């Protein structure tokens, strides 16, 4: 219902820095301070008490800024699920986190409505169609190949 919070008890709402489509279902996971967490809207819990999927610092990843955010979150492997890109502590290597969980959901590569790498206030990105629980099949994009220049 528009204009209403999904969870009225705000102490249980996740309020993540970022959402990320990760594990193959159509709901986002939460990416907070280098922690990838599974939030269940049917059984809400505060952040830091959620099931942990991944802790990026265990792999030497260093986030950007005080919140430990990734350098980039996006569908760079082109299977509609997203990857999180960090640097190492020396800032001379990229560390790319991607899921290894299979999925039966088949969607085209995500196209984003807003800038994924904007500097300043970081917030979750938006894709070009509704991607979430109860979604209908998205329309196929009207992609055409440009003619070859000879």
């Amino acid at each position: 219902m528009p204009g209403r919070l999904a969870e009225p008890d705000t102490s249980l709402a996740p309020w993540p820095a970022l959402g990320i489509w990760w594990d193959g279902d159509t709901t986002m996971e939460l990416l907070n301070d280098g922690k990838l967490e599974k939030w269940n809207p049917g059984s809400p819990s505060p952040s830091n008490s959620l099931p942990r999927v991944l802790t990026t610092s265990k792999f030497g990843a260093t986030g950007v800024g005080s919140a430990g955010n990734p350098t980039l979150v996006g569908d760079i492997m082109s299977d509609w699920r997203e990857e999180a890109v960090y640097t190492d502590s020396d800032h001379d290597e990229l560390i790319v986190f991607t899921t290894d969980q299979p999925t039966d959901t088949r969607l085209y590569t995500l196209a984003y409505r807003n800038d994924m790498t904007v500097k300043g206030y970081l917030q979750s990105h938006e894709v070009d169609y509704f991607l979430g629980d109860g979604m209908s099949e998205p329309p196929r994009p009207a992609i055409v190949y440009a003619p070859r220049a000879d």
Side-chain angles (χ1 to χ4, degrees):
M1 187 171 197
R4 290 185 54 199
L5 292 173
E7 174 52 53
D9 181 350
T10 58
S11 70
L12 298 178
W15 315 122
L18 291 170
I20 183 171
W21 281 287
W22 181 268
D23 63 5
D25 63 30
T26 56
T27 60
M28 291 181 121
E29 281 61 56
L30 311 178
L31 189 52
N32 287 306
D33 195 23
K35 302 178 303 283
L36 185 66
E37 300 171 318
K38 183 70 177 174
W39 190 64
N40 179 358
S43 177
S45 302
S47 188
N48 290 323
S49 67
L50 299 169
R52 182 81 48 93
V53 177
L54 173 73
T55 303
T56 61
S57 62
K58 290 183 178 181
F59 300 92
T62 302
V64 177
S66 61
N69 292 315
T71 303
L72 173 79
V73 170
D75 180 17
I76 59 176
M77 300 291 187
S78 301
D79 74 342
W80 78 265
R81 293 173 296 173
E82 295 175 308
E83 289 72 39
V85 180
Y86 289 81
T87 62
D88 66 347
S89 60
D90 292 331
H91 302 289
D92 61 359
E93 293 182 2
L94 292 177
I95 301 171
V96 179
F97 293 95
T98 187
T99 187
D100 62 353
Q101 297 177 13
T103 182
D104 292 328
T105 302
R106 299 291 178 244
L107 301 171
Y108 62 85
T109 300
L110 298 183
Y112 296 92
R113 286 184 169 263
N114 62 349
D115 188 4
M116 298 180 334
T117 60
V118 70
K119 303 298 182 215
Y121 185 72
L122 183 66
Q123 54 188 344
S124 288
H125 46 279
E126 300 292 333
V127 296
D128 64 338
Y129 58 87
F130 171 68
L131 175 50
D133 187 49
M135 67 181 281
S136 57
E137 184 174 338
R140 291 191 58 80
I143 298 173
V144 295
Y145 290 98
R148 290 182 62 161
D150 293 326

